[in-house]
Amino acid sequence: MSELSRRDFVGAGIAAGAGLTLAVSLEGCKEAFPEAGGAAFAPNAWIRVGADDVVTVIVDRSEMGQGVSTALPMLVAEELDADWSRIRYEFAPANEAYNNPLSLGQLTGGSTSIRAAWRPLREAAAKARLMLVGAAAAEWGVPAARCRTENGAVLAPDGRRLGYGALATAAASQPVPERVTLKSAREFTLIGKSLPRLDTAAQVTGRTGFGIDAQPEGVLTAVVARCPVFGGTLRSFDPAAARAVPGVRHIVRIGSGVAVVAEGYWAAQQGRAALTLEWDEGSLATLDDAAVSARLTELTRQPGHLARKTGQGAAAGAARFFEAVYEVPYLAHATMEPMNCTADVRPDRVTLWVPTQYQTGPKLLGGGTRGMAAKLAGVSMRQVTVHTTQLGGGFGRRAETDFVAEACEISRLVGAPVKLVWSREDDIRHDQYRPAARHLLRGGLGNDGMPIVWSHRIACPSIIAKFMPRWLPRFATHLAGPLKGGVDANAIEGAAEIPYAIPNLEIRYAQADLGVPVGFWRSVGNSHTAFAVECFLDELAALAGKDPVEFRRQLLTRSPRHLAVLNLAAAEAGWGTALPAGRARGVALHASFGSFVAQVAEVSLQENKVRVHRVVCAIDCGQVVNPDIVKAQMEGGIVFGL
């Protein structure tokens, strides 16, 4: 991000109907915003001020419900002193100029959208505001320093007022400021307020375009029959019965199975059901939960690779020891919108309409959606156009490109635009799963009942090994295979950096290669490490006969942000006060992706069924752009967890 901020971030130009355009001027971006009418134009625009006073913000991250289509425009509107009612947004095209500086490519994930945009977008808006002021001052013949801005207009010292739209063309001729002073937090008028989301009206009236709504002219619908066992292959198939289904147009064999292409989804589904298929299920045909558990158990009994050690590590002595095991299963993403991609593959170009989290990336790592399509179609990445739609849930699943590859392959084979749709059954059976994991923890308590030894062994498949090329160590010798020191950083996140002050700590990791495809799933490693760490801490508190909140407080002497959310959640939940008969409270604390969260759940056990009556959540995520969006994310996360 520091490298990006040192660039000459803002370019200015005049475009037909655009007025003032603020941009990062980087080479190779002209296909995203071609020159209009021969006028000077700065490509790769983030901000456009139209003659109608409308400010359009190009949102370069995918909107999947997390609110970037509102939060990113808020950053612009704040520094621009824009009229919020005149703010609009468009999704950015796929282009390397929109790469996320905190990740590899134009990627939405890891809670990086606001962090990556925080300074660059505000700088672009602040420079635009100064250029608008300069244009107004020149027209009035007054010093720019004596003018001010508010609510989408420049005000002269004598009260005269010019809207941004009236100034846009003249402002485009103003010199681009080299440096700007950004507002301090106490000067914010929009950031920190719960402004209405810009996408709500379109969603509740059905006007929002999700991927599954794409309907280019002549589009056909496809479904795919895939092997029911991971790694299996197709031996043979008989398409005769499927061809007889009304509406079925094509049946083609592709890399992942057999595609049935029809005039609609129902016909495609009926055609798939009529196929006669013979599979070679391969070596994983007998893999089951017991086999997975046995392999993970075996790995946790081995030393594995050291991820972190303090003090004497696991070798330290203690007055009392306690050991526990926690296992978590493979988990599918189960996005609300079915997995889908609409592809129109031509000999000289590819057009995609797709709900994707990963528009483009380094060629060495596959190039993202754009790179995958280019490779399959045999064209350059510049010949691939990606129309990013809204996402009906992502959770990391739509950062994959398997569904894009299938759509492109089918379209190329049938010579027509194709909308590939996965059923819910397809989704659950053929996902890229959150890895199954086994945690073996051993803790030792001192004479005062406080933990002085913490040993944590983690065994699970590696997500990093899937994505990082195996030739990489030849060029990066500090890597052992695709993993640094044999440790997958995603597998141990949330475990290796626990906030609790325990003098003797040892964290180890063992990679399990079980053949089941894995991928980034909401919160990634934290989704299982937080569970294991916080449950085990409660076990140690119970062994010591201590209150779990007070137990944590005594261990958080060097972690003030953790302690603050713990104290707030406990206070708001009434920790320590009486509860109705049969109810109890539980507490958990965790930090990931820059946010510190504590929750207290009030539960009861009724006829062997757990009922959650209330959850109190405290979060410290730093500077909040839109509090209502943060609240919605936390409420959604709680429901997701339940």
Side-chain angles (χ1 to χ4, degrees), residues 580-604:
R583 293 194 189 184
R585 295 186 182 98
V587 64
L589 172 69
H590 196 70
S592 63
F593 302 102
S595 291
F596 299 74
V597 178
Q599 292 187 13
V600 175
E602 187 176 314
V603 304
S604 64

Side-chain angles (χ1 to χ4, degrees), residues 115 122 127 439 471 479 634 639:
R115 281 184 280 166
R122 291 170 62 209
K127 291 182 178 184
H439 297 258
W471 46 257
L479 297 177
M634 300 313 296
V639 173

Side-chain angles (χ1 to χ4, degrees), residues 50-116:
D52 56 359
D53 285 330
V54 169
V55 176
T56 302
V57 179
I58 307 301
V59 173
D60 56 5
R61 298 292 166 255
S62 302
E63 176 62 77
M64 49 191 139
Q66 83 279 32
V68 290
S69 59
T70 297
L72 295 185
M74 284 180 69
L75 300 182
V76 170
E78 180 66 74
E79 295 292 343
L80 191 60
D81 281 339
D83 178 353
W84 181 249
S85 69
R86 307 296 292 170
I87 294 287
R88 305 291 185 268
Y89 73 90
E90 296 175 5
F91 291 121
N95 189 281
E96 55 272 15
Y98 289 114
N99 283 358
N100 185 334
L102 301 181
S103 64
L104 295 174
Q106 187 178 347
L107 174 69
T108 304
S111 298
T112 59
S113 295
I114 297 296
R115 281 184 280 166

Side-chain angles (χ1 to χ4, degrees), residues 25 53 165 260 283 291 294 327 331 340 408 458 465 467 472 512 553 600:
S25 297
D53 285 330
V260 178
S283 61
E327 282 197 11
L331 289 179
N340 68 89
C408 290
I458 302 169
F467 286 99
L472 194 61
R553 283 177 179 146
V600 175

Side-chain angles (χ1 to χ4, degrees), residues 514-527:
L514 299 170
V516 177
V518 295
F520 294 105
W521 187 93
R522 191 175 190 178
S523 80
V524 201
N526 297 282
S527 69

Side-chain angles (χ1 to χ4, degrees), residues 100 123 187 192 222 243 256 290 304 396 416 429 435 439 451 477 488 509 521:
N100 185 334
E123 284 187 347
E187 296 174 293
R243 292 189 191 281
S256 59
R429 292 170 180 161
H439 297 258
T477 55
D488 184 331
Y509 169 72
W521 187 93

Side-chain angles (χ1 to χ4, degrees), residues 215 219-223 260-266 268 417-421:
Q215 203 68 22
V219 68
L220 299 172
T221 302
V223 299
V260 178
V261 186
E263 295 171 3
Y265 180 72
W266 177 250
V418 168
K419 180 194 296 186
L420 171 69
V421 180

